[in-house]
Coordinates of all heavy atoms in Angstrom, one line a residue:
Q18 N 32.7 -6.6 -57.6 CA 32.8 -7.0 -56.2 C 33.7 -8.2 -56.0 O 34.3 -8.4 -55.0 CB 31.4 -7.2 -55.7 CG 30.6 -5.9 -55.5 CD 29.3 -6.1 -55.0 OE1 28.9 -7.3 -54.8 NE2 28.5 -5.1 -54.7
E19 N 33.7 -9.1 -56.9 CA 34.5 -10.3 -56.8 C 36.0 -10.0 -56.8 O 36.8 -10.8 -56.3 CB 34.1 -11.3 -58.0 CG 32.9 -12.0 -57.8 CD 32.6 -12.8 -59.1 OE1 33.4 -12.9 -60.0 OE2 31.5 -13.4 -59.2
K20 N 36.4 -8.8 -57.3 CA 37.8 -8.5 -57.3 C 38.2 -7.9 -55.9 O 39.5 -7.7 -55.7 CB 38.1 -7.5 -58.4 CG 37.9 -8.2 -59.7 CD 38.4 -7.2 -60.8 CE 38.2 -7.9 -62.2 NZ 38.7 -7.0 -63.2
M21 N 37.3 -7.6 -55.0 CA 37.7 -7.1 -53.7 C 38.0 -8.2 -52.8 O 37.3 -9.4 -52.9 CB 36.6 -6.3 -53.1 CG 36.3 -5.0 -53.8 SD 37.8 -3.8 -53.9 CE 37.9 -3.3 -52.2
R22 N 39.0 -8.1 -51.8 CA 39.4 -9.2 -51.1 C 39.6 -8.7 -49.6 O 40.3 -7.6 -49.5 CB 40.6 -9.9 -51.7 CG 41.1 -11.1 -51.0 CD 42.2 -11.8 -51.7 NE 43.4 -10.9 -51.8 CZ 44.6 -11.2 -52.1 NH1 44.8 -12.5 -52.5 NH2 45.6 -10.4 -52.1
L23 N 39.3 -9.4 -48.6 CA 39.7 -9.1 -47.3 C 40.6 -10.1 -46.7 O 40.5 -11.4 -46.9 CB 38.4 -9.2 -46.4 CG 38.5 -9.0 -44.9 CD1 39.0 -7.5 -44.6 CD2 37.3 -9.2 -44.1
K24 N 41.7 -9.7 -46.0 CA 42.7 -10.5 -45.4 C 42.7 -10.3 -43.9 O 42.7 -9.1 -43.5 CB 44.1 -10.2 -46.0 CG 44.2 -10.5 -47.5 CD 45.7 -10.6 -48.0 CE 46.3 -9.2 -47.9 NZ 47.7 -9.3 -48.4
A51 N 43.6 -6.4 -43.9 CA 43.7 -5.7 -45.2 C 42.5 -5.9 -46.1 O 41.8 -6.8 -46.1 CB 45.1 -6.1 -45.9
L52 N 42.3 -4.8 -46.8 CA 41.3 -4.8 -48.0 C 42.1 -4.5 -49.3 O 42.7 -3.4 -49.3 CB 40.3 -3.8 -47.6 CG 39.0 -3.8 -48.6 CD1 38.3 -5.1 -48.5 CD2 38.1 -2.6 -48.2
D53 N 42.0 -5.3 -50.2 CA 42.7 -5.0 -51.5 C 41.8 -5.3 -52.6 O 40.7 -5.9 -52.6 CB 44.1 -5.7 -51.6 CG 44.0 -7.2 -51.7 OD1 43.0 -7.8 -52.2 OD2 44.9 -7.9 -51.5
R54 N 42.3 -5.0 -53.8 CA 41.6 -5.1 -55.1 C 42.5 -5.8 -56.1 O 43.7 -5.5 -56.2 CB 41.1 -3.8 -55.7 CG 40.3 -3.9 -56.9 CD 39.8 -2.5 -57.3 NE 39.1 -2.6 -58.6 CZ 37.8 -3.0 -58.7 NH1 37.2 -3.3 -57.6 NH2 37.3 -3.1 -59.8
T55 N 42.0 -6.7 -56.8 CA 42.7 -7.4 -57.9 C 42.8 -6.4 -59.1 O 41.9 -6.1 -59.6 CB 42.1 -8.7 -58.3 OG1 42.0 -9.6 -57.2 CG2 42.8 -9.5 -59.4
I56 N 44.1 -6.1 -59.4 CA 44.2 -5.3 -60.6 C 44.3 -6.2 -61.9 O 43.7 -5.8 -62.9 CB 45.6 -4.5 -60.5 CG1 45.5 -3.5 -59.3 CG2 45.9 -3.7 -61.8 CD1 46.7 -2.8 -58.9
W60 N 48.6 -8.8 -60.1 CA 48.9 -7.6 -59.1 C 47.6 -7.4 -58.2 O 46.5 -7.4 -58.6 CB 49.1 -6.3 -59.9 CG 50.5 -6.3 -60.5 CD1 50.9 -6.6 -61.7 CD2 51.7 -5.9 -59.8 NE1 52.2 -6.4 -62.0 CE2 52.8 -6.0 -60.7 CE3 52.0 -5.5 -58.5 CZ2 54.1 -5.7 -60.5 CZ3 53.3 -5.1 -58.3 CH2 54.4 -5.2 -59.2
H61 N 47.9 -7.1 -57.0 CA 46.9 -6.7 -56.0 C 47.4 -5.5 -55.3 O 48.6 -5.2 -55.1 CB 46.6 -7.8 -54.9 CG 46.0 -9.1 -55.4 ND1 44.8 -9.4 -55.1 CD2 46.5 -10.0 -56.2 CE1 44.5 -10.6 -55.7 NE2 45.6 -11.0 -56.4
A62 N 46.4 -4.5 -55.0 CA 46.8 -3.3 -54.2 C 45.7 -3.0 -53.3 O 44.5 -3.3 -53.5 CB 47.0 -2.2 -55.2
G63 N 46.1 -2.4 -52.1 CA 45.1 -2.1 -51.2 C 45.7 -1.3 -49.9 O 46.7 -0.8 -50.0
L64 N 44.9 -1.4 -48.8 CA 45.1 -0.7 -47.5 C 45.2 -1.8 -46.5 O 44.3 -2.7 -46.4 CB 44.1 0.3 -47.3 CG 44.2 1.0 -45.9 CD1 45.3 2.1 -46.0 CD2 42.9 1.8 -45.6
Q65 N 46.3 -1.7 -45.6 CA 46.4 -2.6 -44.5 C 46.6 -1.9 -43.2 O 47.2 -0.8 -43.1 CB 47.5 -3.6 -44.7 CG 48.9 -3.1 -44.8 CD 49.9 -4.2 -45.1 OE1 49.6 -5.2 -45.6 NE2 51.1 -3.9 -44.8
Y103 N 49.7 -0.7 -49.8 CA 50.6 -1.8 -50.3 C 50.2 -2.3 -51.7 O 49.1 -2.2 -52.1 CB 50.6 -3.0 -49.3 CG 49.4 -3.8 -49.3 CD1 49.4 -5.0 -50.1 CD2 48.2 -3.5 -48.6 CE1 48.3 -5.8 -50.1 CE2 47.1 -4.3 -48.6 CZ 47.1 -5.5 -49.3 OH 46.0 -6.3 -49.3
S105 N 51.1 -6.0 -54.0 CA 51.5 -7.4 -53.9 C 51.6 -8.0 -55.4 O 50.7 -7.7 -56.2 CB 50.7 -8.3 -53.1 OG 50.6 -7.9 -51.8
Y107 N 51.9 -11.6 -57.4 CA 51.7 -13.1 -57.3 C 52.2 -13.8 -58.6 O 51.8 -13.4 -59.6 CB 50.2 -13.4 -57.1 CG 49.7 -13.1 -55.7 CD1 49.4 -11.8 -55.4 CD2 49.6 -14.1 -54.7 CE1 48.9 -11.5 -54.1 CE2 49.2 -13.7 -53.4 CZ 48.7 -12.4 -53.2 OH 48.3 -12.1 -51.9
M164 N 42.2 -18.1 -49.7 CA 43.6 -18.6 -49.6 C 44.2 -18.6 -48.2 O 43.8 -17.6 -47.4 CB 44.5 -17.7 -50.5 CG 44.2 -17.8 -51.9 SD 45.0 -16.4 -52.9 CE 44.1 -15.0 -52.6
Q166 N 47.6 -17.9 -46.2 CA 48.7 -17.2 -46.6 C 49.8 -17.3 -45.4 O 49.5 -17.1 -44.3 CB 48.5 -15.8 -46.9 CG 47.6 -15.6 -48.2 CD 47.6 -14.2 -48.7 OE1 47.5 -13.2 -48.0 NE2 47.6 -14.0 -50.0
A194 N 42.8 -15.2 -46.7 CA 42.3 -14.1 -47.6 C 41.0 -14.7 -48.3 O 41.1 -15.8 -48.8 CB 43.4 -13.7 -48.5
F195 N 40.0 -13.9 -48.4 CA 38.8 -14.3 -49.1 C 38.2 -13.2 -49.8 O 38.2 -12.1 -49.4 CB 37.8 -15.0 -48.0 CG 37.5 -14.2 -46.9 CD1 36.4 -13.3 -46.9 CD2 38.3 -14.3 -45.7 CE1 36.1 -12.5 -45.8 CE2 38.0 -13.5 -44.6 CZ 36.9 -12.6 -44.6
L197 N 35.3 -10.7 -51.3 CA 34.0 -10.1 -50.8 C 33.0 -10.2 -51.9 O 33.3 -9.6 -53.0 CB 34.2 -8.7 -50.3 CG 35.2 -8.6 -49.1 CD1 35.4 -7.1 -48.9 CD2 34.7 -9.4 -48.0

Side-chain angles (χ1 to χ4, degrees):
Q18 287 177 356
E19 288 177 3
K20 294 187 177 183
M21 295 298 293
R22 186 175 65 165
L23 178 65
K24 297 195 295 183
L52 184 65
D53 71 20
R54 180 175 180 83
T55 303
I56 297 171
W60 287 98
H61 293 251
L64 177 71
Q65 67 183 16
Y103 74 96
S105 298
Y107 288 79
M164 293 171 284
Q166 294 191 321
F195 51 90
L197 297 178

